[in-house]
Amino acid sequence: MSQHDKQSRQVGVIGLGAMGMGTATALHHQGFNVTGCDIAAEARDAFIAAGGKSVATPMELAHCHIVLVVVVNGSQVEQVLFGEQGVVGHLAPSSLIIQCATVAPSQAKQLGERVAAEGLMMLDAPISGGAAKAKSGELSVMASGAAEAFSYASDVLDGMAVKVYRLGDDPGMGSSMKLVNQLLAGVHIATAAEAMALGIRMGLDPEVIFEVITHSAGNSWMFENRVPHILKGDYTPLSAVDIFIKDLNIVHQTGRELSMATPVAASALQQFTSASGAGFGREDDSAVIKVYQRLSGITLPEAANDAQET
């Protein structure tokens, strides 16, 4: 697609959090005509500062050909699509919604049916990779939907992702795959925290634990990615504790719908719930280790500034 064609393609991004901002910025830098939407003025101002345009309500994206929904949960998806100021009733026929939030597969199916009833297309397309990969346009997209929708979205998907997995013709399969990913991610973070806490309680140097495990069979992507937050004592939220409470609750809900137990995910959910209950819900998800600090009195590494002040 030429630069002129990209400029003529109007793209809206609803939700300018870490992932949404990164995706909007990546598409803007690649030449798409992007309008961001967020209720927070500071998020809108940040996207304007990056060179984009922004609006305060989804209905103001009526001019867009493609709208990405990158909000936090299913309730917000419902609101930005079908609420009083939702975008669905204002888009031109055959416009496309790319629904990227993590929602229950059953909700994704219902959203697809409702969007189709309005004469629009929808891709059920959850994303993974984190804020850094969103900004560089290197996400993984787990998508399902009609071939026509994939064809219409191909340039935008290529602009935001390094890998797009086509998982079926109907909404729901993309969200199903994302749920498998979130089960593993949540369990791996909780397990990494427990392993680090055990090592620290036994007197091992946290830095040495990280060095050894990242070169051993017990390593995981989440261990390698999240434990450095613990080592730095920096719990600035890249993905918050409360996000995994939401996602693992969706795992639990879906398991009930299927009459299938998910006991390991349930255990991880309890740890994240304990962390949130202790006041760490808005901290980085690696803060789940603070549950063990409360229970067993382990000493965790401090942030550099904190260490200097004491």
Side-chain angles (χ1 to χ4, degrees):
M1 172 173 278
S2 70
Q3 198 70 10
H4 177 269
D5 290 336
K6 285 183 177 180
Q7 276 293 316
S8 66
R9 180 67 72 93
Q10 299 282 343
V11 179
V13 178
I14 302 177
L16 296 175
M19 298 288 277
M21 180 67 79
T23 299
T25 302
L27 292 173
H28 169 70
H29 286 164
Q30 292 182 52
F32 290 95
N33 201 331
V34 183
T35 304
C37 174
D38 202 285
I39 59 173
E42 57 268 29
R44 299 196 301 271
D45 291 343
F47 188 54
I48 291 172
K53 298 173 290 186
S54 69
V55 296
T57 63
M59 63 188 291
E60 295 175 79
L61 297 174
H63 63 286
C64 292
H65 304 108
I66 296 177
V67 175
L68 285 79
V69 179
V70 197
V71 295
V72 173
N73 55 40
S75 176
Q76 289 184 5
V77 172
E78 174 73 23
Q79 189 66 26
V80 301
L81 291 183
F82 299 104
E84 185 176 343
Q85 297 180 317
V87 70
V88 164
H90 300 275
L91 293 172
S94 299
S95 298
L96 172 66
I97 291 168
I98 303 178
Q99 202 301 99
C100 300
T102 301
V103 301
S106 56
Q107 183 181 7
K109 293 176 185 178
Q110 293 170 0
L111 288 170
E113 293 169 356
R114 293 169 67 189
V115 166
E118 296 289 337
L120 307 174
M121 297 184 290
M122 188 186 103
L123 285 178
D124 172 27
I127 53 181
S128 182
K133 288 188 176 181
K135 190 173 183 179
S136 62
E138 296 179 302
L139 292 169
S140 292
V141 178
M142 308 164 212
S144 60
E148 180 185 3
F150 274 107
S151 177
Y152 193 71
S154 61
D155 56 332
V156 170
L157 292 172
D158 288 344
M160 63 188 282
V162 70
K163 186 67 178 179
V164 178
Y165 295 95
R166 295 182 63 164
L167 301 168
D169 297 331
D170 300 306
M173 297 309 295
S175 287
S176 294
M177 185 60 72
K178 180 62 184 294
L179 209 56
V180 172
N181 183 80
Q182 294 309 94
L183 185 158
L184 288 167
V187 167
H188 288 176
I189 293 169
T191 303
E194 184 170 296
M196 286 298 297
L198 176 63
I200 293 169
R201 185 69 177 84
M202 293 188 297
L204 295 173
D205 183 324
E207 297 279 355
V208 174
I209 298 172
F210 180 73
E211 171 67 19
V212 172
I213 294 303
T214 54
H215 292 87
S216 303
N219 192 32
S220 68
W221 190 92
M222 281 300 186
F223 186 96
E224 195 163 342
N225 184 266
R226 295 306 203 268
V227 171
H229 304 179
I230 297 169
L231 298 179
K232 295 174 184 176
D234 183 1
Y235 299 96
T236 303
L238 299 180
S239 175
V241 164
D242 283 345
I243 293 294
F244 273 97
I245 293 178
K246 170 187 74 77
D247 290 355
L248 291 174
N249 264 312
I250 296 174
V251 171
H252 180 65
Q253 170 194 332
T254 303
R256 286 196 304 173
E257 292 173 0
L258 299 172
S259 298
M260 177 179 171
T262 52
V264 180
S267 179
L269 173 59
Q270 289 303 309
Q271 290 302 102
F272 284 107
T273 303
S274 296
S276 184
F280 310 127
R282 295 189 177 183
E283 295 189 18
D284 187 76
D285 49 37
S286 58
V288 70
I289 196 172
K290 294 184 179 182
V291 174
Y292 298 97
Q293 183 183 40
R294 290 284 182 92
L295 293 175
S296 60
I298 60 171
T299 300
L300 295 176
E302 298 179 348
N305 289 341
D306 293 342
Q308 292 170 4
E309 289 171 2
T310 56

